[in-house]
Amino acid sequence: MNGFGRSRRWLLAIVVLALVGCGEPALEPLPRDATILAFGDSLTEGVGAPAGAAYPEQLARLTGWTVVNAGVAGETTADGVTRLPEALETHAPDLVILLMGGNDVLRNQDLAEAKRNLARMINQAQAKGIAVMLVGVPEKSLFSQSAPLYDSLAEEHGVVLVDDLVASLLRRPGYKADAVHLNAEGYRAMAERLAEVLRDEGAL
């Protein structure tokens, strides 16, 4: 075989390995007694739905895991940076689902600073060996996709990103309690999608 043929085979092998690697699960399997920390703002707390219908409670019923609802309505990413360390210490989770940034967007705060705050929270969890799943929130527009900062964070920190979930649910009137919050059915759909991602990524 000439040099050109060997080079082509070598390049093909690299491409095949890369494609195989892309399909590998990104999360370690969680034990049956795992604890998930659902950390965020009103979309985690469950504003817009009755007690017990927020996505963390519904995710717990779908998976059998303990899912701690650590959502606080009205918080920004700056608030989350301050609050997360104590939550990690208290609950010692196996996984953090991080859904924050919506209030930064709604209040027209600096999204570069929001990205830095989210990065700090990811680092706080990863420093303790805790996996993170990041959920993107849309930009301030009815038909927008998730803000680009979430994709950048996922790439930079090697975390699983659930990209267009919130935006897609908020585009469906039947899932909404108001302009920015979900109803019980919307939170149910969110929990189902998150459970699906956790399964696809190897955690469940």
Side-chain angles (χ1 to χ4, degrees):
M1 182 183 299
N2 60 30
F4 179 71
R6 284 194 296 270
S7 297
R8 288 185 62 186
R9 284 181 178 250
W10 177 245
L11 288 171
L12 179 61
I14 291 174
V15 170
V16 169
L17 286 172
L19 291 173
V20 170
C22 288
E24 293 177 354
L27 296 171
E28 294 292 327
L30 296 182
R32 293 308 309 165
D33 61 349
T35 295
I36 295 177
L37 180 67
F39 192 85
D41 50 35
S42 56
L43 285 173
T44 298
E45 183 179 318
V47 171
Y55 96 75
E57 287 83 351
Q58 300 210 50
L59 183 61
R61 291 192 287 272
L62 287 170
T63 63
W65 290 323
T66 297
V67 183
V68 177
N69 188 330
V72 176
E75 279 200 343
T76 65
T77 56
D79 299 315
V81 170
T82 301
R83 186 167 62 92
L84 182 57
E86 182 178 352
L88 295 175
E89 189 67 28
T90 299
H91 301 290
D94 300 279
L95 173 72
V96 172
I97 299 177
L98 180 58
L99 171 48
M100 292 200 89
N103 290 312
D104 299 67
V105 172
L106 291 173
R107 298 172 191 175
N108 297 314
Q109 296 188 356
D110 182 6
L111 293 189
E113 181 61 22
K115 180 182 177 182
R116 287 190 287 271
N117 290 333
L118 288 164
R120 292 183 186 109
M121 287 185 269
I122 293 169
N123 288 334
Q124 287 168 355
Q126 290 181 334
K128 292 180 173 292
I130 301 168
V132 176
M133 186 162 77
L134 183 64
V135 183
V137 300
E139 297 178 292
K140 199 173 182 179
S141 170
L142 179 61
F143 298 105
S144 69
Q145 306 296 313
S146 292
L149 66 91
Y150 291 94
D151 188 61
S152 296
L153 283 165
E155 290 185 10
E156 291 165 10
H157 296 273
V159 300
V160 172
L161 172 64
V162 186
D163 189 18
D164 196 35
L165 175 59
V166 173
S168 65
L169 293 174
L170 289 175
R171 287 194 290 267
R172 300 183 61 176
Y175 283 161
K176 294 169 63 174
D178 57 38
V180 295
H181 297 109
L182 303 173
N183 57 25
E185 287 302 310
Y187 288 121
R188 171 74 180 187
M190 178 181 285
E192 289 174 345
R193 175 57 181 152
L194 292 174
E196 180 183 350
V197 174
L198 288 167
R199 185 176 298 109
D200 291 345
E201 296 296 341
L204 183 59

